[in-house]
Amino acid sequence: MNSTPAWLSKMLDPATYPHPTRDVRLVQTHISWVFITDEFVYKIKKPVDFGFLDFTTLEKRKTYVSEELRLNKRLCPEIYLECIPLREKARGGFSLGGEGDIVEWVLKMHRTPEEGMMRNLIQAETLDRGHLNLLVERLVPFYESAETGGWVDEFGTMEAVRYNVQENFQQTREYLGTHLDPEKYHWIQSYNEAFFKENQHIFGERIRSSRIREGHGDLYSANICFDEAKGAVYVFDCIEFNRRFRCGDVASDLAFLAMDLDYHGLPGLAIYFQERFVQESRDEGLVALMDFYKCYRAFVRAKIGCFTSSGPGIPEETRRSAMEEARNYLSLAYRYAGGLRGTRPRLYCFMGLSGTGKTTLATAFSERLGLR
């Protein structure tokens, strides 16, 4: 893949866009170029093939841009607008729409308010239970109405889940010793195999209770925004490129955000989010799977960090940050796999006279450490 496509400078020029914008900011991921203008965001897929996704031809990129538009309209139709062709003009140069040969397909979206991005709220230490209540109110009906049964249920079988887990290990083996600690890596492998062996019945029970859904697949803080002025929450950037990652147990989606809150030092909010969702959805069986899926999701983020750090054309600062994230996410997956606590449970007991603050202290302690 050419790390600097010919049209890149054109997309960075404010004059390219059919609306006024003071500047254009580029954000790169391992699979996309994202151009942020004052009011709108434009996304172009990179021509990459990671095995689990393949954007190597223009036709494939067109298909997946269309799918991204369709699927994301389920949760935030007001954000996702249209697919636009990027064309090379006969006399040279490029334009959004107009005449000429199509060289890329561009997804156009409304820009969400930066101050409402969940990741920014986390950094500002202003994310609270009210935000999570709003999110749960949006997610519960979404999962209740999402497609299930038939072809969707196939992604909830133990064999399908095991395939996803094993694929992560296969695709990150080359990073052992550089990005990933071998001891933690192999511990997590053993934990997963033991979980499958000891909990085969759970996967069938989840299918029978209709908990396998065509969900979001990438439910974490970078893809959630709160619009305080409208009292709305937007959950965007769902997985469009692979059904395996979008379809599965609702617990897998929920575990991603719970893991993300843990990663950012908010285990108390992670527990609250889980408990509120269980209460509103009446899905008590979800609890038994949360640590397993949180381990899986943390390992996926470690994998993404590995891929991002080794991608072409990535700035050095981004590369170093991605490597650090890969190591940190692996350590979190290791924790979920019991690597820090062994196999024995631990109980903390708070005692004292009436009115001395036992409940207050115990609650604060449990929220800080992510305990129930």
Side-chain angles (χ1 to χ4, degrees), residues 348-351 357-372:
Y348 297 92
C349 185
F350 293 79
M351 295 176 287
K358 299 183 297 299
T359 300
T360 300
L361 181 60
T363 300
F365 183 82
S366 66
E367 289 182 351
R368 179 65 62 88
L369 295 185
L371 306 175
R372 290 182 180 80

Side-chain angles (χ1 to χ4, degrees), residues 332-366:
L332 185 57
Y334 178 69
R335 194 183 94 190
Y336 293 134
L340 296 181
R341 65 177 182 266
T343 57
R344 298 180 64 185
R346 183 174 296 171
L347 172 69
Y348 297 92
C349 185
F350 293 79
M351 295 176 287
L353 296 174
S354 177
T356 55
K358 299 183 297 299
T359 300
T360 300
L361 181 60
T363 300
F365 183 82
S366 66

Side-chain angles (χ1 to χ4, degrees), residues 24-305:
V24 182
R25 180 162 58 95
L26 170 63
V27 175
Q28 289 196 59
T29 71
H30 62 299
I31 61 174
S32 301
W33 291 282
V34 181
F35 302 90
I36 303 173
T37 71
D38 291 354
E39 187 177 355
F40 300 98
V41 175
Y42 298 82
K43 184 176 180 180
I44 299 176
K45 298 187 183 303
K46 293 182 176 180
V48 294
D49 183 354
F50 287 120
F52 60 85
L53 65 80
D54 182 359
F55 296 160
T56 52
T57 69
L58 180 61
E59 188 60 31
K60 288 178 179 178
R61 294 195 291 280
K62 177 184 178 182
T63 296
Y64 287 117
V65 168
S66 299
E67 272 293 273
E68 186 169 0
L69 179 66
R70 179 185 70 84
L71 290 163
N72 280 288
K73 278 183 172 292
R74 298 177 302 165
L75 272 166
C76 44
E78 57 275 83
I79 299 299
Y80 284 78
L81 301 176
E82 60 179 325
C83 300
I84 305 172
L86 177 63
R87 297 181 182 270
E88 185 171 12
K89 295 183 285 188
R91 295 184 180 181
F94 301 89
S95 66
L96 284 169
E99 307 251 342
D101 294 334
I102 298 174
V103 294
E104 287 297 346
W105 286 92
V106 186
L107 178 61
K108 180 181 179 181
M109 300 164 279
H110 266 300
R111 184 173 175 178
T112 53
E114 287 285 332
E115 67 277 7
M117 293 295 294
M118 181 183 271
R119 186 154 286 182
N120 291 338
L121 296 177
I122 290 172
Q123 291 174 352
E125 299 183 358
T126 56
L127 183 72
D128 59 29
R129 292 184 174 191
H131 292 106
L132 298 181
N133 288 339
L134 188 63
L135 180 60
V136 169
E137 289 171 8
R138 185 71 191 88
L139 290 176
V140 169
F142 166 69
Y143 288 113
E144 287 177 348
S145 62
E147 190 160 356
T148 188
W151 64 271
V152 177
D153 281 351
E154 295 175 11
F155 295 100
T157 65
M158 190 179 78
E159 292 74 21
V161 177
R162 175 181 261 157
Y163 181 90
N164 290 342
V165 168
Q166 291 177 340
E167 181 182 63
N168 284 335
F169 293 115
Q170 293 164 2
Q171 292 177 337
T172 53
R173 197 169 292 141
E174 64 183 281
Y175 298 100
L176 285 176
T178 55
H179 297 58
L180 305 178
D181 179 270
E183 182 179 348
K184 293 177 181 177
Y185 177 97
H186 293 302
W187 178 286
I188 296 165
Q189 270 189 314
S190 298
Y191 162 79
N192 278 283
E193 282 309 309
F195 188 89
F196 287 126
K197 184 177 180 180
E198 296 166 10
N199 297 278
Q200 296 181 40
H201 64 285
I202 291 180
F203 296 93
E205 289 171 2
R206 297 294 288 174
I207 292 172
R208 288 189 291 274
S209 59
S210 299
R211 299 301 181 180
I212 313 304
R213 299 280 170 158
E214 185 179 29
H216 185 277
D218 209 17
L219 185 70
Y220 76 121
S221 60
N223 297 331
I224 299 170
C225 182
F226 297 91
D227 190 331
E228 303 285 354
K230 297 180 179 178
V233 58
Y234 309 122
V235 183
F236 54 92
D237 209 15
C238 118
I239 296 287
E240 85 290 347
F241 52 78
N242 194 320
R243 281 181 169 184
R244 281 196 294 124
F245 301 155
R246 182 173 70 251
C247 301
D249 199 307
V250 172
S252 181
D253 261 12
L254 272 290
F256 201 165
L257 183 55
M259 178 277 297
D260 190 45
L261 291 169
D262 284 341
Y263 182 81
H264 288 98
L266 298 169
L269 287 181
I271 290 174
Y272 179 79
F273 170 66
Q274 175 185 317
E275 290 177 345
R276 281 288 294 150
F277 187 89
V278 169
Q279 180 183 15
E280 294 300 317
S281 65
R282 298 182 179 85
D283 183 8
E284 278 140 20
L286 175 148
V287 176
L289 288 161
M290 285 299 282
D291 275 353
F292 167 76
Y293 278 119
K294 285 199 284 187
C295 179
Y296 167 71
R297 291 299 190 173
F299 199 97
V300 168
R301 292 306 301 170
K303 178 176 73 172
I304 296 302

